[in-house]
Amino acid sequence: GAGVSQSPSNKVTEKGKDVELRCDPISGHTALYWYRQRLGQGLEFLIYFQGNSAPDKSGLPSDRFSAERTGESVSTLTIQRTQQEDSAVYLCASSRRLASTDTQYFGPGTRLTVL
Amino acid sequence: DAKTTQPPSMDCAEGRAANLPCNHSTISGNEYVYWYRQIHSQGPQYIIHGLKNNETNEMASLIITEDRKSSTLILPHATLRDTAVYYCIVIPPGTYKYIFGTGTRLKVLA
């Protein structure tokens, strides 16, 4: 079946501009996660959503970052007033439910470059 | 949260078994061990996970020591397409935030 998809695959923007990244989870997956991966580094958790529950935003690095999800479908991650340190690959993952034993499946990522 | 330690890099000859070790000496009894890999410029790909018993699937085998303080991921017949960074992570119950370190960079040589 279809996996997690993300768009765009690459985004180049100028410092100070806003960007919006999109994630389509696997159909039927109620939990959705956003991570960031800087060049040569591991994954940093940003936020997760589970159904209609309040999201866990504890990993968002600043108030310039926000994310939304409508029900159990698409999610968007928005970065306002982008800075050069925001340059990274932004990865989305989904799982059947929010449980540590439910495997997270990752999308291909969006590579963001802030000039 | 239990931390994991992996060698930074390994080489393996094509067609041979690749054995990737991971230490997780502070793991607790109800924490799962997961393995993912990341091929250049792609998202992490799930490989296998386990709690206490050894596990095998179409991609790999996972051997967990009896004291659970370490594990080994085995790719039985490595191919060039298995060249990737391999991550071992420990997932505590009630935690959904995967924390990937820098993993092991496996290079399969022709």
Side-chain angles (χ1 to χ4, degrees):
Chain A
V4 177
S5 60
Q6 293 185 246
S7 61
S9 54
N10 280 286
K11 176 72 177 177
V12 180
T13 191
E14 293 179 348
K15 179 181 171 182
K17 295 279 180 69
D18 297 353
V19 296
E20 198 170 272
L21 312 179
R22 176 187 168 110
C23 172
D24 282 90
I26 293 172
S27 178
H29 280 198
T30 63
L32 185 147
Y33 315 78
W34 283 98
Y35 293 87
R36 177 171 71 178
Q37 188 172 31
R38 291 191 164 119
L39 187 64
Q41 298 186 21
L43 264 63
E44 299 173 68
F45 166 80
L46 297 177
I47 186 171
Y48 71 68
F49 296 88
Q50 165 62 19
N52 295 317
S53 302
D56 180 339
K57 305 180 182 180
S58 60
L60 294 178
S62 77
D63 58 8
R64 296 186 296 106
F65 287 72
S66 63
E68 292 183 351
R69 186 184 188 197
T70 306
E72 297 181 355
S73 61
V74 170
S75 174
T76 55
L77 177 69
T78 302
I79 309 173
Q80 296 178 308
R81 305 180 303 280
T82 52
Q83 304 293 313
Q84 288 182 332
E85 65 260 25
D86 299 334
S87 294
V89 175
Y90 288 83
L91 291 156
C92 175
S94 71
S95 61
R96 282 184 303 135
R97 58 198 173 102
L98 190 70
S100 54
T101 53
D102 268 14
T103 302
Q104 294 183 25
Y105 295 93
F106 286 82
T110 293
R111 182 175 299 277
L112 175 66
T113 304
V114 182
L115 301 177
Chain B
D1 294 356
K3 298 190 70 133
T4 61
T5 305
Q6 298 177 253
S9 65
M10 291 180 65
D11 289 343
C12 177
E14 189 178 20
R16 304 297 293 269
N19 297 281
L20 294 97
C22 179
N23 282 319
H24 30 79
S25 58
T26 60
I27 195 170
S28 65
N30 52 3
E31 292 179 323
Y32 281 76
V33 179
Y34 272 75
W35 283 82
Y36 280 77
R37 72 180 181 185
Q38 192 168 25
I39 295 169
H40 183 61
S41 297
Q42 296 182 24
Q45 178 189 23
Y46 165 77
I47 301 174
I48 199 167
H49 73 280
L51 182 62
K52 295 180 182 177
N53 300 321
N54 298 337
E55 302 287 344
T56 295
N57 63 20
E58 65 277 5
M59 288 183 69
S61 294
L62 174 61
I63 308 297
I64 302 174
T65 57
E66 194 169 338
D67 63 8
R68 303 207 331 118
K69 293 183 185 237
S70 65
S71 60
T72 301
L73 178 75
I74 301 172
L75 307 178
H77 306 286
T79 71
L80 298 178
R81 286 191 300 271
D82 292 322
T83 293
V85 179
Y86 287 77
Y87 297 98
C88 164
I89 56 175
V90 170
I91 310 297
T95 298
Y96 323 110
K97 309 169 189 177
Y98 283 11
I99 300 173
F100 284 39
T102 50
T104 296
R105 186 171 297 276
L106 174 70
K107 189 172 182 181
V108 180
L109 306 171

